[in-house]
Amino acid sequence: MNQPDLIPHLFRKEYGKIVSVLVRYWGINHLEAAEDIASETFVTAVQTWVYRGIPVNPAAWLYQVAKNKARNYLKREQIFRSDVYPEIRNRLDASEQPDLDLSVDSIRDSQLRMMFAISHPSMAPESQIALSLRILCGFGIEEIAAAFLTNKETINKRLLRAKQKLRSQPALLEAPGPAEIAGRMENVLTTLYLLFSEGYYSISKDPAIRKELCLEAMLLANSLLQTQSPQKKDVFALLSLMCFQASRLEARVTASGETVPYEEQDPQQWNMELVSQGIYFLKEASGGDRISRFHLEACIAYYNTIKDDTPEKWENILRLYNILLEINNSPITALNRGYAIYKVKGKMAAIAATEKLRLANNQFYCTLLGELYSGIDNQKARAYYQRAIALAKTMHDRNTLQTHINRLENTAAKDGVLKNIFAG
Amino acid sequence: MDEFMLIFRHQDGTKIASPEQLQIWMKQTMDWIGQITAQNKFSGGNGLLFEDSRVVGHNHVVTDGPFGEIKETIGGYIIVKAASVDEAVAFAKGSPVLQGEGNSVEVRKIAKRDGGH
């Protein structure tokens, strides 16, 4: 067994679980120690596996190592503390510490507490999400930066501030009450959606890994249904959105790992079980007194499960984006709306709306304008595509964009170039 | 045919690599050992962990170790079969450990039970 992405994959799946359980046992003041122990667990694993082979159940193996490391850490802490403060010698008795409980239930409960602790309103939302992705999902700094469309330094600073904030309020990790759950739910949902998107749009070519990340986010979202909160309908909406998108996971990637644009996907390959699951969740999500961004996005995602391009479909999508933009003004929403305008009102209207956004440093902005100018002003289209290539972070994106430029030069531009980003 | 122990010395054994770096290192090491195994010349090996490690000193003083005092740490070893030390050295040269600056592989012949060296 030599899976090409085994360690990064295990890291995303298990790192956050180990950190969450450790922090639940020890308190938030030991967050850094918990992170170190979780990281070291992977080093130990690799150091052993290279000689002895990869175990049948790697996760169980990791948990055992984490337990040993935790026990040793407590012993060391105890020695340190009893040396420094003899008066508290008996407070931290390692021999009385029960073994860490790394059962499925204990892990889920710890993850939930961690999610809500991180989503405390005293922290800026960006910091909360960055910290969640780091701690709960084991994302690297670069992956988080990519998710936020920003750079590594910004993320590092954000994480540092967020951790300081967390440490200053050790009570945060107690089981959240109804008020805490209500106040922090929106951030928790946003984080889970980012996690899901990371899996869905991941540049990793291994479909198993992408599916795993999406599934992990769906499981965490599902566990939120056990909490009592006024936003239960929002949770259902998020789950619905995730199901609709996940239905195309298989169809949007070829066996060799290439992305298949939405238009070229075979609807036979769409997972209709997930679509009906999504419809069920959407029904559960309706009937509340307000709609969240996830309600709107779930409805848009629902329209994308219908392959036929009718004018009604795109008019509905555009209307949904108009409302979505009012409650969640993000560059990606605005760009998606630009694409919907193109489908409803044509390229000129879409160009006018998109250029107002002035996002010259955004790869998707440049890609969209490249697409919109194709066949209208090919010189401008080429310039935008070239700018997008300069901004692109992966070879795959650069190659795709180059294909568009070549197509401009060869024939009159055709529609449908952008769909792998905006509707895939 | 003799047996040689290849001992991996790391300049900084406590540095934590990213999951992607660990993945690369794991693949390279498994490929390397796989090549030796394919020639039927791999006798065994293991990683040496920092877990439960101690240094027992003169006068039976036990310290938690090898943290701090020792700059170089042993990360693991493998035992290979080789006709000569040169063949064992050729195996050692393929070790991914050597990609790390300051790291080294020590090659030592294992004494035979029958005294025939």
Side-chain angles (χ1 to χ4, degrees):
Chain A
M1 184 160 93
N2 207 352
Q3 289 169 251
D5 281 331
L6 178 72
I7 301 297
H9 156 69
L10 274 174
F11 198 87
R12 287 200 192 95
K13 253 193 92 197
E14 306 298 342
Y15 173 88
K17 294 180 184 171
I18 295 169
V19 172
S20 299
V21 172
L22 288 174
V23 168
R24 187 178 140 212
Y25 273 77
W26 297 344
I28 202 80
N29 277 323
H30 294 262
L31 172 62
E32 246 138 56
E35 284 192 280
D36 285 346
I37 285 175
S39 296
E40 285 167 18
T41 295
F42 284 86
V43 177
T44 300
V46 169
Q47 250 188 327
T48 312
W49 297 351
V50 289
Y51 304 108
R52 323 221 83 172
I54 293 157
V56 181
N57 186 347
W61 204 99
L62 290 170
Y63 294 164
Q64 192 53 51
V65 175
K67 280 182 191 177
N68 291 341
K69 283 189 188 289
R71 205 179 301 120
N72 285 336
Y73 169 75
L74 282 185
K75 276 187 205 152
R76 274 213 303 280
E77 269 291 280
Q78 190 194 21
I79 292 166
F80 173 72
R81 290 191 183 202
S82 56
D83 284 351
V84 181
Y85 313 109
E87 72 274 16
I88 60 157
R89 196 182 307 254
N90 297 323
R91 281 233 220 120
L92 204 94
D93 188 347
S95 61
E96 282 174 20
Q97 281 283 332
D99 234 13
L100 290 183
D101 179 2
L102 282 154
S103 64
V104 176
D105 285 348
S106 169
I107 286 172
R108 284 272 173 255
D109 184 49
S110 304
Q111 285 178 305
L112 274 177
R113 286 188 195 207
M114 185 61 99
M115 275 196 279
F116 282 98
I118 290 172
S119 305
H120 189 268
S122 67
M123 261 190 278
E126 300 86 24
S127 302
Q128 293 168 351
I129 295 168
L131 198 56
S132 300
L133 291 172
R134 178 73 200 132
I135 293 183
L136 284 171
C137 314
F139 281 20
I141 307 297
E142 237 167 81
E143 291 167 297
I144 301 174
F148 277 111
L149 306 170
T150 180
N151 58 39
K152 277 160 71 177
E153 290 70 35
T154 310
I155 296 299
N156 270 325
K157 273 187 215 145
R158 247 179 232 178
L159 285 176
L160 199 70
R161 273 200 304 271
K163 283 182 187 176
Q164 280 165 350
K165 201 96 192 188
L166 265 188
R167 269 197 300 274
S168 67
Q169 304 178 48
L172 282 184
L173 267 184
E174 281 160 23
E180 283 84 17
I181 291 179
R184 302 177 206 167
M185 185 61 94
E186 199 181 326
N187 285 327
V188 171
L189 295 177
T190 304
T191 305
L192 289 180
Y193 186 46
L194 264 180
L195 170 62
F196 177 89
S197 303
E198 179 63 25
Y200 192 72
Y201 297 104
S202 168
I203 54 169
S204 165
K205 286 196 167 188
D206 188 335
I209 290 172
R210 308 154 66 117
K211 225 188 277 175
E212 197 87 46
L213 261 180
C214 292
L215 187 69
E216 198 62 28
M218 290 167 92
L219 283 173
L220 283 170
N222 208 61
S223 67
L224 288 174
L225 290 176
Q226 290 159 19
T227 61
Q228 285 306 320
S229 85
Q231 295 103 324
K232 206 159 206 169
K233 302 232 171 258
D234 300 1
V235 181
F236 278 119
L238 175 63
L239 279 165
S240 165
L241 168 61
M242 287 172 166
C243 286
F244 288 142
Q245 291 199 328
S247 72
R248 289 193 302 279
L249 263 175
E250 308 271 351
R252 66 189 293 280
V253 183
T254 64
S256 58
E258 299 305 311
T259 308
V260 183
Y262 177 82
E263 296 290 296
E264 291 164 27
Q265 286 170 20
D266 175 9
Q268 296 285 323
Q269 279 189 45
W270 292 353
N271 184 328
M272 294 323 280
E273 218 172 295
L274 277 170
V275 172
S276 23
Q277 186 71 33
I279 292 171
Y280 164 78
F281 282 136
L282 196 54
K283 279 183 188 147
E284 291 291 315
S286 65
D289 49 8
R290 52 178 277 278
I291 53 168
S292 66
R293 61 169 282 207
F294 297 114
H295 284 86
L296 296 163
E297 290 190 55
C299 291
I300 294 167
Y302 166 73
Y303 282 111
N304 281 325
T305 66
I306 305 162
K307 181 92 183 204
D308 291 339
D309 239 0
T310 59
E312 295 77 34
K313 170 179 158 180
W314 281 103
E315 274 160 25
N316 281 324
I317 290 177
L318 178 57
R319 201 168 52 234
L320 289 161
Y321 273 124
N322 288 340
I323 310 170
L324 183 57
L325 206 57
E326 276 170 38
I327 64 170
N328 182 56
N329 192 350
S330 79
I332 286 294
T333 305
L335 291 172
N336 276 315
R337 179 174 167 271
Y339 186 77
I341 292 174
Y342 155 49
K343 296 299 279 189
V344 175
K345 299 179 185 165
K347 285 185 169 177
M348 293 314 288
I351 288 171
T354 305
E355 282 188 332
K356 268 189 218 150
L357 300 173
R358 296 181 190 284
L359 292 166
N361 287 321
N362 183 310
Q363 178 193 337
F364 304 113
Y365 170 85
C366 298
T367 310
L368 176 59
L369 281 168
E371 157 82 353
L372 294 175
Y373 271 116
S374 301
I376 292 197
D377 182 339
N378 279 357
Q379 214 164 347
K380 274 194 173 172
R382 190 175 306 115
Y384 272 117
Y385 278 138
Q386 269 157 357
R387 175 108 188 103
I389 288 179
L391 291 164
K393 290 186 186 66
T394 69
M395 190 52 85
H396 178 76
D397 283 0
R398 281 191 284 273
N399 289 342
T400 310
L401 288 161
Q402 189 58 48
T403 320
H404 300 337
I405 293 180
N406 298 345
R407 214 175 289 176
L408 277 180
E409 266 145 40
N410 295 337
T411 58
K414 284 181 186 164
D415 290 350
V417 157
L418 262 184
K419 272 140 198 161
N420 62 348
I421 296 161
F422 291 98
Chain B
M1 194 69 74
D2 285 312
E3 281 193 322
F4 292 84
M5 184 179 273
L6 275 44
I7 303 159
F8 312 126
R9 298 188 178 279
H10 298 258
Q11 187 79 300
D12 187 359
T14 55
K15 204 160 64 190
I16 292 179
S18 74
E20 285 74 21
Q21 288 168 316
L22 283 174
Q23 177 71 43
I24 292 167
W25 186 76
M26 180 169 85
K27 184 187 181 322
Q28 289 175 340
T29 307
M30 291 177 103
D31 287 351
W32 175 58
I33 292 175
Q35 281 167 17
I36 301 173
T37 309
Q39 300 170 49
N40 203 17
K41 291 195 166 165
F42 180 71
S43 292
N46 218 331
L48 297 176
L49 309 178
F50 287 101
E51 249 15 68
D52 288 330
S53 59
R54 304 282 184 278
V55 175
V56 183
H58 181 59
N59 293 337
H60 292 182
V61 177
V62 180
T63 51
D64 246 11
F67 310 106
E69 306 87 0
I70 303 170
K71 272 193 195 147
E72 216 177 44
T73 57
I74 299 173
Y77 67 90
I78 65 167
I79 295 170
V80 298
K81 295 188 190 83
S84 66
V85 67
D86 292 336
E87 192 187 0
V89 165
F91 284 139
K93 281 181 180 167
S95 170
V97 166
L98 295 175
Q99 290 167 14
E101 210 181 320
N103 294 355
S104 60
V105 179
E106 185 173 328
V107 180
R108 301 289 290 266
K109 187 160 147 180
I110 296 177
K112 281 183 185 164
R113 218 172 254 272
D114 61 8
H117 353 256

